Amino acid sequence: MKGSLELWGLPLGELARLLAADTLPAALLNPGTAPLFLLVLGLVAFQYARIGQMEARLYGRPLVPLWHRVLTAIAAGLLGGFIGGLVITAAGVVLEPRDVTPLWPVALGLALIRPRFLCFAYATGLIGASHLLLGWPQVHVPGLVALVGALHLAEAVLVYVDGAEGATPVLARNGRGEVVGGFLLQRFWPVPAAILVLVNLTAPGGGIEMPSWWPLVGPADPARLNAAGWIVVALPLVAGLGYSDLALTATPGTRSRQTALVMVLYSAALVAMAALAERDARWLWPAVLASPLLHEGMIQLGIARERWGRPLFGPPAQGARVLWVWPRSPAAALGLQAGDVILTANGRPVRRESDLRAVSMDLWEGPLRVFDLELEIQRGNRRLTRRLQRFDPGAPFGALLVPPPGDPVSPLIDLGRGKHLFGA
């Protein structure tokens, strides 16, 4: 169409309109895919409910309401599905129905072993290896590998824009045995996307004209692309994507952006190997093995960085470091931020939460129980004084502090030698 946005001959404007107006709404409304979307949405809500229960055990109540986590996950999943579907259709990853049929059953079975194995990267590795060794199931390996690569590009976008949402503050023991502050990042998304499927039916006419180099990864029998009675259609695909990470050496936002960049490289590597395997059978095994092994390596390298890297929220030489501030709490009213170091409270040195409680008890005099609180804090290279009038010493202060070395604490996460994260 004249005036449509094009890149390398690709009618991106037309493809975007097709996805937004037809394919993605079908994933939510079509009787064939809507139940699967609702199932994935239920699994996502269940995971967020478990996170809320964990936070309630740690802090008395969930830090983020369940409805907020679910609604933001749906919104982000729609964005990720649109981007993933656009990549799949624009690059041309053409599959057949038999290629995608075993994906969900195998992924769900692997998830029973370890939840993170729900990712299609592991199912594709198992299905591809079975096909190459046993000739079963009948799938087109390059297409499956390219599909995983495209979905992880969508996941990279999700992690970049939404991976740090609702991060849970935790205490963790790193590889050197130090108890430090950090954040547990856990996000799950229901993703309605699109896949290109070669089907045998009469074309209804019209369609979108694609460039001569398209598709990048075709079906098992490329001759059928131009055969009479065979057409490529964009069909809805429902996927569940998840992201679990730990931020000890960086803020949750920085950590999620670092991970997103690595995911982009992983995605590009898979799509490139799939394209090579499409043209040279010697690349089939490297592509199949790369899907789960590079994914696992990506996870383990990230954990190693957090295990041995310099912690961002370690205990300071003096004072007590703030890890988390409750909204609408006295600590929030004082303007405290994550990373601040509380040096003194009403002139008394502070090293741990019990020191703040001791100051509160000293103020516990008279019938009103309302007093002034003055904190001296270190923020970067600056020393600041914060005052709060009408402070109620009987109310929770609302700040989670990193304990000093030697305090008897039981960290939620242990990354010491021989320890693992997320059942890795």
Side-chain angles (χ1 to χ4, degrees):
M1 178 181 293
K2 187 176 180 179
S4 176
L5 176 63
E6 291 193 6
L7 179 65
W8 298 317
L10 288 167
L12 295 181
E14 287 295 294
L15 293 175
R17 280 190 285 272
L18 171 68
L19 291 172
D22 186 2
T23 309
L24 297 188
L28 305 177
L29 304 174
N30 187 288
T33 54
L36 181 57
F37 180 81
L38 292 176
L39 173 63
V40 174
L41 181 59
L43 292 174
V44 166
F46 174 73
Q47 293 293 341
Y48 285 135
R50 292 182 60 188
I51 294 172
Q53 292 170 359
M54 176 194 70
E55 293 174 344
R57 290 194 300 269
L58 291 173
Y59 308 118
R61 63 184 176 91
L63 303 183
V64 180
L66 175 61
W67 63 265
H68 179 84
R69 282 187 161 121
V70 173
L71 289 183
T72 55
I74 293 174
L78 291 173
L79 172 64
F82 175 80
I83 293 175
L86 188 60
V87 170
I88 290 172
T89 54
V93 179
V94 180
L95 302 167
E96 297 183 54
R98 67 181 184 181
D99 296 327
V100 296
T101 299
L103 270 180
W104 265 113
V106 174
L108 290 172
L110 290 175
L112 297 176
I113 302 174
R114 286 177 182 166
R116 62 188 176 83
F117 287 172
L118 182 65
C119 176
F120 284 172
Y122 301 99
T124 292
L126 186 60
I127 294 168
S130 176
H131 171 79
L132 295 178
L133 289 173
L134 307 175
W136 180 89
Q138 287 296 316
V139 296
H140 186 46
V141 170
L144 281 181
V145 174
L147 175 64
V148 171
L151 288 176
H152 276 79
L153 180 59
E155 185 177 356
V157 173
L158 290 172
V159 170
Y160 188 91
V161 302
D162 193 53
E165 174 69 25
T168 303
V170 295
L171 297 178
R173 180 174 285 110
N174 63 16
R176 292 182 292 274
E178 303 165 335
V179 176
V180 300
F183 290 86
L184 188 59
L185 284 65
Q186 297 185 94
R187 289 295 282 167
F188 305 92
W189 304 280
V191 180
I195 56 172
L196 294 177
V197 178
L198 184 67
V199 295
N200 187 2
L201 54 80
T202 302
I208 300 176
E209 184 177 352
M210 304 300 286
S212 58
W213 60 263
W214 189 93
L216 184 64
V217 179
D221 185 2
R224 283 189 290 184
L225 280 172
N226 300 314
W230 292 89
I231 63 170
V232 176
V233 296
L235 296 181
L237 170 72
V238 175
L241 298 180
Y243 169 56
S244 295
D245 208 344
L246 182 65
L248 299 182
T249 64
T251 64
T254 299
R255 176 64 184 150
S256 61
R257 289 190 291 271
Q258 292 170 345
T259 302
L261 176 60
V262 176
M263 284 184 176
V264 170
L265 298 177
Y266 170 74
S267 171
L270 285 193
V271 173
M273 281 190 277
L276 290 171
E278 175 85 352
R279 293 154 179 80
D280 187 343
R282 289 176 296 181
W283 282 91
L284 286 172
W285 270 111
V288 165
L289 295 176
S291 178
L293 295 183
L294 287 183
H295 191 277
E296 191 68 14
M298 178 172 61
I299 292 174
Q300 297 302 328
L301 285 175
I303 293 175
R305 176 174 180 169
E306 301 308 298
R307 173 179 281 140
W308 301 108
R310 180 181 178 181
L312 181 63
F313 296 98
Q318 292 181 332
R321 191 178 304 278
V322 176
L323 176 61
W324 168 262
V325 177
W326 283 91
R328 298 178 296 278
S329 66
L334 282 160
L336 292 182
Q337 302 174 6
D340 287 348
V341 176
I342 302 175
L343 300 173
T344 64
N346 286 1
R348 292 182 52 172
V350 174
R351 285 291 285 161
R352 53 184 60 82
E353 291 188 32
S354 60
D355 295 332
L356 282 173
R357 289 195 295 270
V359 172
S360 298
M361 293 303 297
D362 288 346
L363 296 174
W364 196 284
E365 296 176 357
L368 295 179
R369 295 174 45 206
V370 176
F371 304 89
D372 294 344
L373 178 66
E374 181 177 288
L375 298 184
E376 183 182 6
I377 66 172
Q378 184 86 28
R379 180 174 295 169
N381 295 324
R382 298 182 297 160
R383 283 206 175 194
L384 307 173
T385 299
R386 289 287 186 263
R387 296 181 179 88
L388 179 63
Q389 294 180 337
R390 301 184 62 79
F391 168 67
D392 182 357
F397 182 64
L400 178 62
L401 306 181
V402 179
D407 269 21
V409 294
S410 299
L412 178 67
I413 295 172
D414 193 341
L415 292 181
R417 295 180 181 274
K419 305 291 185 178
H420 303 282
L421 179 64
F422 308 124

